[in-house]
Amino acid sequence: MRIGFIGLGVMGRPMADNLIAAGHELSVYRGRTDLAAHVCASAKEVAERSEVVILMVPDTPDVEAALFAPGGAAEGLRAESLVIDMSSISPTATIGFAQLIDKLGCDYLDAPVSGGELGARDGTLTIMVGGRPEVFERARPIFDVLGKNVTLIGGPGAGQTAKVANQIIVGLTIEAVAEGLLFAERAGADPAVVRRALMGGFASSRILEVHGERMVNEAFEPGFRLRLHRKDLGLAAQAAAELDLALPNTAATQQLMNAAIADGDGELDHSALYRTLRREHS
């Protein structure tokens, strides 16, 4: 396919690489010149050159600007073009974006991902999709390159709702692993040995495996930046308010992330919450 890709960050760059390796022709906006893709001067030009436009940008305003600002992708879409937003943004805003794209005679899927930089590089992302089933099937060849666990959740916005739920679970679990390992350390046990022991028990998890190792090694190069996870928990708080729903532990973890960012750790991996807890008890 002729694919336009907007957002070549930590996640987007390896995703674009995998699409090129699979034989797709890519056009990108503000991309690095070492990528085997056509570099366009605007998001509009990306859309003009593409059947499918993929967005992988940080936040809701970034998606809105990439699509609808002057020179945005919406100006270059043709009838039956497909927009796939793989960013993690507001479910409510996503429904509005989908409606605007639909009015242009084009299709829209929200398809946020989980799996971090490692999953993006290995093509093993979990992809949560919102949209019409026939549009989902049209995009399936793209999703099969990028991920291994691809699920149509429901209509527009449902993919983003699933991603918010994912980020609640991941964020709270990272915080729990950080507390457990810090407790082990302060009680006089080697947290690395405790982690290995727990990997054989009921506390075992992917987060204990990957992020627990980062914590004991104090290796916090970003697979997923802490400031972006804080943004996602902000989306959870916003949606919870709209639903009159209490999420007390989500709120507490968001506050811990606020402290981490205030301490200058926003660009580190989200497993750096361990550093924040250690500082609070130093």
Side-chain angles (χ1 to χ4, degrees), residues 244-265:
D244 294 325
L245 178 66
L247 299 175
N249 292 321
T250 300
T253 302
Q254 184 183 17
Q255 287 300 314
L256 190 62
M257 289 181 175
N258 287 343
I261 291 169
D263 287 335
D265 287 350

Side-chain angles (χ1 to χ4, degrees), residues 210-223:
V210 175
H211 292 309
E213 183 175 29
R214 286 175 169 156
M215 292 173 193
V216 299
N217 293 331
E218 297 192 43
F220 300 118
E221 285 299 312

Side-chain angles (χ1 to χ4, degrees), residues 65-256:
L67 288 174
F68 304 115
E75 294 181 2
L77 296 174
R78 297 182 298 277
E80 300 183 358
S81 293
L82 170 59
V83 175
I84 305 175
D85 178 25
M86 305 191 79
S87 319
S88 296
I89 69 166
S90 162
T92 303
T94 292
I95 293 171
F97 297 160
Q99 290 171 343
L100 290 173
I101 295 298
D102 185 67
K103 289 179 181 178
L104 297 175
C106 303
D107 293 321
Y108 191 97
L109 296 173
D110 52 289
V113 304
S114 179
E117 182 184 11
L118 180 63
R121 188 179 68 238
D122 293 345
T124 58
L125 293 167
T126 291
I127 305 175
M128 299 152 273
V129 187
R132 297 196 306 276
E134 65 274 18
V135 182
F136 172 73
E137 290 303 324
R138 178 183 171 192
R140 175 65 90 159
I142 293 172
F143 294 147
D144 287 344
V145 170
L146 301 177
K148 294 299 182 188
N149 180 22
V150 183
T151 305
L152 178 63
I153 305 296
Q160 296 294 352
T161 295
K163 179 58 187 289
V164 170
N166 178 87
Q167 295 303 81
I168 291 171
I169 293 168
V170 170
L172 270 61
T173 307
I174 287 174
E175 197 279 337
V177 169
E179 282 195 17
L181 294 181
L182 180 61
F183 167 78
E185 177 188 333
R186 293 302 171 88
D190 184 337
V193 176
V194 170
R195 172 187 162 274
R196 288 199 300 270
L198 297 182
M199 285 300 299
F202 205 53
S204 179
S205 70
R206 181 68 170 157
I207 289 171
L208 179 62
E209 177 188 357
V210 175
H211 292 309
E213 183 175 29
R214 286 175 169 156
M215 292 173 193
V216 299
N217 293 331
E218 297 192 43
F220 300 118
E221 285 299 312
F224 185 70
R225 287 182 172 82
L226 196 150
R227 65 175 173 81
L228 293 178
H229 202 147
R230 194 270 301 267
K231 176 265 298 182
D232 291 341
L233 293 192
L235 295 175
Q238 177 186 352
E242 293 170 356
L243 296 168
D244 294 325
L245 178 66
L247 299 175
N249 292 321
T250 300
T253 302
Q254 184 183 17
Q255 287 300 314
L256 190 62

